[in-house]
Amino acid sequence: MTKKFVIIIGGGYEQLPFIRISKKNGFKTIVIDRNQLCIGFREADIKFKISTYNYKKIISRLIKLNFKSKVKYVINRSSGLPVFTAANLYKFINFPHTPTKSAKILTYKDKLYKFCKENFIKIPKTKVYQKSNYKISINKIIKPAISLVGKQSV
C-alpha cells in the first residue's frame, strides 16, 4: 500500500493536534519548520528544516523525494505568510486550493486594504505608509503590512 502524507506547516505546540490526528487517521506526517528543536519534529515522520515561508524550497524537496503524488493534504494554522505557502503547495499537488493571488491579498494587509476599497468593501479608515519615519498622532493602531509573528509587531 502506498503511504499517504499530510504536510503540516509549522512544528510548534499549535500544530501538535494536527500531527496526532493525522497519524491517528493513518497518514504519515511531513512537518515543516526552520527550528530544528521544534516540538512537532519529535512526533513527525519526516522533518523538513525549512522556513514555512519558502514554498519553493519545500516543493523542491518534495520533488527530490518523489512525494508529489503521495501528499494528500496540507495543513496550515497560520494567518501569515504560510497561507501563501499552503496555497502554492496545494497548487503543486493539484488539489483545490485558495488561488495564490487571493492568498497574497489575504496575507499582505496593504493588498487587502486596496482590494477592499476597489470592491467597495467597508473597512476602517486606513493609511498605508511606505516608510516608518512618519510622525503618528496618538489614538492610532499601527500594524505592519505583513505580520511575521502573529500580533507581535502591532
Side-chain angles (χ1 to χ4, degrees):
M1 184 169 128
T2 304
K3 292 180 184 174
K4 300 178 291 180
F5 290 89
V6 173
I7 292 176
I8 299 165
I9 300 174
Y13 286 99
E14 300 84 3
Q15 286 79 22
L16 284 177
F18 301 114
I19 296 168
R20 292 172 181 159
I21 288 169
S22 296
K23 290 175 149 238
K24 185 177 177 183
N25 284 291
F27 292 96
K28 295 290 184 184
T29 58
I30 301 170
V31 175
I32 301 165
D33 201 298
R34 69 179 177 179
N35 177 2
Q36 66 188 19
L37 301 176
C38 70
I39 193 160
F41 278 0
R42 295 180 194 168
E43 298 188 30
D45 294 298
I46 297 175
K47 307 159 186 80
F48 284 8
K49 186 184 172 289
I50 301 173
S51 169
T52 57
Y53 308 160
N54 194 341
Y55 72 90
K56 290 179 182 177
K57 196 169 185 179
I58 297 165
I59 289 172
S60 176
R61 178 83 55 86
L62 292 169
I63 290 169
K64 191 175 186 179
L65 295 171
N66 195 28
F67 277 8
K68 181 177 180 176
S69 64
K70 297 173 185 170
V71 175
K72 301 303 175 193
Y73 301 101
V74 177
I75 298 174
N76 172 47
R77 188 183 173 282
S78 171
S79 61
L81 285 173
V83 170
F84 191 63
T85 298
N88 278 286
L89 291 175
Y90 268 127
K91 183 178 178 180
F92 170 71
I93 65 170
N94 298 316
F95 196 88
H97 62 282
T98 303
T100 53
K101 182 179 178 183
S102 297
K104 258 194 176 166
I105 291 169
L106 292 170
T107 304
Y108 292 89
K109 290 180 194 76
D110 53 341
K111 294 182 187 325
L112 178 62
Y113 296 150
K114 182 179 178 196
F115 174 84
C116 288
K117 284 183 178 186
E118 289 172 352
N119 290 280
F120 307 102
I121 299 169
K122 291 184 178 187
I123 59 171
K125 186 176 178 183
T126 305
K127 177 137 176 98
V128 177
Y129 295 97
Q130 299 302 318
K131 297 180 182 179
S132 61
N133 60 352
Y134 289 95
K135 186 171 184 170
I136 308 292
S137 62
I138 59 172
N139 300 327
K140 305 283 187 226
I141 297 174
I142 302 168
K143 296 182 176 187
I146 181 72
S147 298
L148 299 179
V149 183
K151 304 293 182 243
Q152 181 180 18
S153 302
V154 176

